[in-house]
Amino acid sequence: MSSERTQASPATSVPLVEELAAVIRERIYTQRYATGSWLRQEQLSAELGVSRTPLREALRILDREGLIQVHPSQGARVITGDLPTLLKAYELRAVIDGLAARLVAERNDPASGRLLGRAIEAQLGTLDPWEPREYTQSNVDFHEHVLHLSENEFLVKQSAIIRLTAQVFAPVALVGPDAARRAIGEHRAVVDAIDAGDGPAAERLARAHIEATITQLRSREDAAPPAE
Amino acid sequence: MSSERTQASPATSVPLVEELAAVIRERIYTQRYATGSWLRQEQLSAELGVSRTPLREALRILDREGLIQVHPSQGARVITGDLPTLLKAYELRAVIDGLAARLVAERNDPASGRLLGRAIEAQLGTLDPWEPREYTQSNVDFHEHVLHLSENEFLVKQSAIIRLTAQVFAPVALVGPDAARRAIGEHRAVVDAIDAGDGPAAERLARAHIEATITQLRSREDAAPPAE
DNA sequence: GTTGAATCGACTGTATCCAAAGATGAAGGC
DNA sequence: GCCTTCATCTTTGGATACAGTCGATTCAAC
């Protein structure tokens, strides 16, 4: 950005606010804006080549999504990714993911299984030479696909919590290739249940998948002090 | 509002944006702004005595909460309360309420049961001379209490979906005193499980409580055509 | 060493201007 | 008669400038 908006982009059609929110969101996800760092309106608007008017609306959106916290008269800062916060986010994710999986299973659309199958293939591709960054992305992709396939608009809006837990808190919740392999296996079990049209099983498996992560993280809770 | 902001309100301390969002939100909840109606920026800012800048941020918040839909270059309109949409919202609510109840039960704080007990008493008070409006409010209060007692910030942010289903869609999901009495009984069962510290039971009961409503509404799905 | 005032940086809110996008309706062509 | 097209009008979208307010820091005074 920073200049392409001025004369280029003939037919964007997407509101600038959404675009801004997306760009900032992505930069938080990719750690370009570190957790806990301050986002200055003046600086951001200059950096993105926009005025503060749409920027403030974008920040308001991200605040609502839980990605940043707007402190009145002080500014906005990227959410800090300490372990207790992460665990609380995962608690919500467990039931969200469970519900989404159940709805997809109950819709019983063969295309769902195929799409999710390809997503799992993509995940496997990040294992052989272990690519943590690509794995994280493919993991997010899988869960976002499930969410969107549920075709429940209220559920789709919860998408932020998935990327929050899986990407923003990545340094906290870092996994190795062994844990990744286990996670992919659990994904496949969920997809099998979806293919079978077994809603309750899909929900149980998807939820257990996240709760396994919770248990794993909670075991570290005493060992590692909350990183500042 | 409309004049008290200009010279009065010496130490509000809460940002205007939040105040605006709260006022508009409340007016949607209380049907002052009907579902499906357009919210004009110019008119709203005049009506509330504020400029368009903070108003637009407030609208952006409400859009994110799902209360209104901002159509680019066209304006914002209050969400339309048709039955399919309501059912989708309830699907999410079922797992949200279930999780909240479980967390409260697991926290095992005696004060929780007492607070919720009083909330139920308040609900019973709206039955004898049947007061639909008061009942709806007391019903929302009960569920909001559970949400807040969970002490999970991510869960608390889901508060909007409770009021959306219970208040905005009230005309669609209208209940009579008989259904209300049943609902209060189910509330008491949830509180009993919370008092007993039985997390899984609390979750199962709270979730079944909402799902009973879903089943009830779904039976109307063919009978009543979506009201415009 | 603590208290308190001054200052500075940053956000908050207002007002105004202009551009762009939809909606509307009338005129004109088929 | 119906459809298209063009002009217009309303409303939102975005930029800019300016007046407040809040918080944190600093520095002097006690």
Side-chain angles (χ1 to χ4, degrees):
Chain A
M1 278 201 111
S2 78
S3 73
E4 48 265 60
R5 185 96 195 171
T6 43
Q7 63 269 34
S9 64
T12 44
S13 89
V14 288
L16 183 53
V17 189
E18 299 295 336
E19 194 179 330
L20 284 177
V23 169
I24 301 173
R25 194 183 293 125
E26 217 56 41
R27 291 188 177 182
I28 294 176
Y29 288 148
T30 57
Q31 317 288 325
R32 179 159 165 183
Y33 298 146
T35 58
S37 64
W38 291 93
L39 299 179
R40 301 283 161 219
Q41 291 184 6
E42 207 72 46
Q43 179 197 333
L44 261 186
S45 64
E47 190 174 333
L48 300 172
V50 299
S51 77
R52 280 177 38 222
T53 312
L55 176 68
R56 280 170 58 172
E57 290 182 45
L59 291 179
R60 209 56 78 171
I61 290 178
L62 297 177
D63 175 74
R64 244 34 195 200
E65 289 180 1
L67 263 181
I68 66 176
Q69 290 176 331
V70 174
H71 295 78
S73 300
Q74 289 185 68
R77 67 185 312 185
V78 181
I79 188 174
T80 62
D82 57 296
L83 194 50
T85 305
L86 176 58
L87 285 172
K88 287 180 178 174
Y90 264 123
E91 281 175 338
L92 178 55
R93 254 204 74 174
V95 299
I96 296 281
D97 278 20
L99 172 60
R102 176 162 69 82
L103 292 179
V104 176
E106 289 175 351
R107 293 193 58 250
N108 229 331
D109 180 355
S112 301
R114 285 197 298 273
L115 178 63
L116 293 175
R118 282 196 298 276
I120 289 181
E121 293 302 319
Q123 285 202 271
L124 288 171
T126 67
L127 280 181
D128 202 338
W130 173 232
E131 303 279 4
R133 204 158 207 82
E134 276 73 14
Y135 168 74
T136 297
Q137 184 59 53
S138 69
N139 182 39
V140 167
D141 287 346
F142 174 82
H143 287 284
E144 293 245 300
H145 276 134
V146 176
L147 217 56
H148 282 89
L149 288 171
S150 77
E151 292 191 353
N152 180 316
E153 57 205 274
F154 298 96
L155 213 38
V156 171
K157 281 199 177 169
Q158 303 296 328
S159 153
I161 197 135
I162 290 186
R163 306 197 62 177
L164 188 67
T165 47
Q167 282 192 308
V168 181
F169 291 161
V172 182
L174 203 56
V175 298
D178 46 343
R181 200 175 300 274
R182 172 185 61 74
I184 297 177
E186 291 170 1
H187 284 180
R188 190 172 294 286
V190 172
V191 175
D192 285 345
I194 287 176
D195 276 330
D198 189 343
E203 171 162 15
R204 191 170 0 95
L205 289 166
R207 183 165 172 173
H209 167 55
I210 304 297
E211 282 171 348
T213 309
I214 294 181
T215 307
Q216 177 192 334
L217 286 174
R218 195 160 278 157
S219 67
R220 299 193 207 164
E221 209 166 16
D222 329 281
E228 164 54 5
Chain B
M1 275 206 126
S2 80
S3 72
E4 48 264 59
R5 185 94 196 175
T6 42
Q7 63 268 36
S9 65
T12 44
S13 88
V14 288
L16 183 54
V17 189
E18 299 294 337
E19 194 179 330
L20 285 177
V23 169
I24 301 173
R25 194 184 291 125
E26 216 56 41
R27 291 188 177 183
I28 294 177
Y29 289 148
T30 56
Q31 317 288 326
R32 179 159 166 184
Y33 297 147
T35 58
S37 64
W38 291 93
L39 300 179
R40 299 279 157 227
Q41 294 182 4
E42 205 72 45
Q43 179 197 333
L44 261 186
S45 63
E47 191 174 332
L48 300 172
V50 298
S51 75
R52 277 175 52 206
T53 313
L55 175 70
R56 279 167 59 174
E57 290 181 44
L59 291 179
R60 206 58 76 172
I61 289 178
L62 297 177
D63 174 74
R64 242 35 194 198
E65 289 181 0
L67 265 181
I68 67 176
Q69 291 176 332
V70 174
H71 296 77
S73 300
Q74 289 186 67
R77 66 185 311 183
V78 181
I79 188 173
T80 61
D82 57 296
L83 194 51
T85 305
L86 176 58
L87 285 172
K88 286 180 180 176
Y90 265 123
E91 281 175 339
L92 178 56
R93 253 205 77 174
V95 299
I96 296 281
D97 278 18
L99 173 60
R102 176 163 67 84
L103 292 180
V104 177
E106 289 174 352
R107 293 192 59 250
N108 229 330
D109 180 353
S112 301
R114 285 199 297 275
L115 177 63
L116 293 175
R118 281 196 299 275
I120 289 182
E121 293 302 319
Q123 286 202 273
L124 289 171
T126 67
L127 280 181
D128 203 340
W130 172 233
E131 303 280 3
R133 204 158 207 82
E134 276 73 14
Y135 168 74
T136 298
Q137 184 59 55
S138 69
N139 182 39
V140 167
D141 287 345
F142 174 81
H143 287 285
E144 292 246 298
H145 276 135
V146 176
L147 216 56
H148 282 90
L149 287 171
S150 77
E151 293 191 353
N152 181 317
E153 58 206 272
F154 297 97
L155 214 37
V156 171
K157 280 198 177 170
Q158 303 296 327
S159 153
I161 196 128
I162 289 186
R163 305 197 64 178
L164 188 68
T165 49
Q167 283 192 307
V168 180
F169 291 160
V172 182
L174 204 56
V175 297
D178 47 342
R181 200 175 301 275
R182 172 184 60 75
I184 297 177
E186 291 170 1
H187 283 180
R188 189 171 295 287
V190 172
V191 175
D192 285 346
I194 288 176
D195 275 331
D198 189 343
E203 172 162 13
R204 190 170 1 94
L205 289 166
R207 184 164 170 173
H209 168 54
I210 304 296
E211 282 171 348
T213 308
I214 294 182
T215 307
Q216 177 192 337
L217 287 175
R218 194 160 278 157
S219 67
R220 298 193 207 164
E221 209 166 15
D222 329 282
E228 163 52 5

